[in-house]
């Protein structure tokens, strides 16, 4: 899901209003350097506080897809998720002067998205399904391992087909990406949310737990099951490729 059409145009308008909200006669805020911030975050926060529209436009492009994924988990439709993201950007800009650097700026923004989305989900009567880790049972079928009476109990009967070692740019441009994407799309909602945030958007486990309000143990279970399921479903594709 990407931000486009009216939603993208609305954010562009907010970008313009963001620049207009910075009055040249106002005193320039003192640079922020909280100990919890990394170098890039320090520079970004100071740029946004100065009204740097290029910096704002850059993070809108980079962060909005992740923000939409978080919002869409909680609310009923893509349109509602886009509304949540727009509201979150406005709230983030209003609250920027109070940002203290206790987390990364991205995590702080995603937390705003999650809070707004949860509130809207309650109004919509939609309950979160993150408490449900999906189907139980082993992540990999027991039949794939040797049993007690076999030469190597617990070992693979047949090792999984190796995944090709390709540069990321080649993987993303290949049909393999579509195979993986389709496999992720079949996952239960909770697993799909966690694996996407971790492996596609690059969030840390701590960030995912913080934004989704789940425990570290629950996050590990969801991620493990999701990765195992995706690997099982794409393995035939790579096995066929290795034989060709």
């Amino acid at each position: 899901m990407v931000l486009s059409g009216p939603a993208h145009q609305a954010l562009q308008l907010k970008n313009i209003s963001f620049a207009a909200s910075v009055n040249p006669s106002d005193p320039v805020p003192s640079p922020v350097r909280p100990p919890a911030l990394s170098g890039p975050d320090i520079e970004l926060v100071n740029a946004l506080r100065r009204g740097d529209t290029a910096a704002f436009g850059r993070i809108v492009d980079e962060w909005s897809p992740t923000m939409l994924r978080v919002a869409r988990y909680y609310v009923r439709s893509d349109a509602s998720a886009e509304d949540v993201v727009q509201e979150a950007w406005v709230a983030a800009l209003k609250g920027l002067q109070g940002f203290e650097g206790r987390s990364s700026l991205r995590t702080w923004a995603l937390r705003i998205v999650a809070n707004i989305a949860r509130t809207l989900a309650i109004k919509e009567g939609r309950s979160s399904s993150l408490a449900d880790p999906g189907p139980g049972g082993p992540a990999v079928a027991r039949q794939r391992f040797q049993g007690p009476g076999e030469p190597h109990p617990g070992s693979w009967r047949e090792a999984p087909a190796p995944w090709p070692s390709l540069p990321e740019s080649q993987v993303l441009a290949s049909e393999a990406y579509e195979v993986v994407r389709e496999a992720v799309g079949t996952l239960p909602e909770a697993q799909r949310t966690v694996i996407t945030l971790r492996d596609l958007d690059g969030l840390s486990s701590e960030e995912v737990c913080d934004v989704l309000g789940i425990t570290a143990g629950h996050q590990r279970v969801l991620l493990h099951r999701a990765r195992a399921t995706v690997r099982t479903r794409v393995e035939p594709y790579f096995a066929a490729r290795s034989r060709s």
Side-chain angles (χ1 to χ4, degrees), residues 19-231:
S21 69
V22 180
N23 190 332
S25 63
D26 289 343
V28 177
S30 300
V32 62
R33 192 170 287 275
L37 285 180
S38 63
D41 256 357
I42 294 170
E43 296 171 4
L44 178 57
V45 170
N46 288 332
L48 294 174
R49 287 180 171 180
R50 291 193 305 268
D52 187 328
T53 56
F56 179 62
R58 187 164 57 250
I59 63 171
V60 166
D61 290 341
E62 292 177 359
W63 297 358
S64 287
T66 305
M67 296 168 78
L68 281 166
R69 275 186 273 275
V70 171
R72 185 63 181 87
Y73 172 75
Y74 290 102
V75 299
R76 289 184 181 275
S77 66
D78 290 354
S80 293
E82 292 187 351
D83 289 342
V84 166
V85 171
Q86 292 180 61
E87 185 177 344
W89 279 120
V90 173
L93 291 178
K94 289 180 178 178
L96 187 61
Q97 294 299 331
F99 176 67
E100 298 178 349
R102 296 178 182 176
S103 64
S104 73
L105 187 64
R106 182 178 67 165
T107 299
W108 178 75
L110 291 174
R111 194 180 300 126
I112 292 173
V113 173
N115 289 339
I116 294 172
R118 287 189 193 107
T119 300
L120 180 57
I122 292 172
K123 293 179 181 178
E124 293 180 338
R126 188 172 193 262
S127 60
S128 170
S129 64
L130 273 176
D132 178 12
V140 180
R142 293 188 178 92
Q143 295 88 336
R144 300 196 63 182
F145 301 99
Q146 296 186 33
E150 298 182 82
H152 305 287
S155 298
W156 291 102
R157 293 185 185 278
E158 182 179 350
W163 287 32
S165 179
L166 296 174
E168 182 179 3
S169 59
Q170 291 185 34
V171 173
L172 294 177
S174 71
E175 61 183 11
Y177 175 76
E178 287 302 314
V179 173
V180 173
R181 187 184 64 81
E182 290 176 5
V184 170
T186 65
L187 294 170
E189 190 170 28
Q191 294 181 24
R192 184 173 66 250
T193 300
V194 171
I195 194 174
T196 302
L197 293 177
R198 286 294 310 277
D199 294 346
L200 178 61
D201 297 325
L203 271 66
S204 68
S205 58
E206 292 80 8
E207 286 178 309
V208 171
C209 292
D210 187 10
V211 170
L212 299 182
I214 58 178
T215 65
H218 193 185
Q219 189 266 165
R220 284 195 298 272
V221 169
L222 290 170
L223 184 61
H224 171 70
R225 290 185 179 178
R227 285 174 173 171
T229 300
V230 168
R231 181 176 182 98

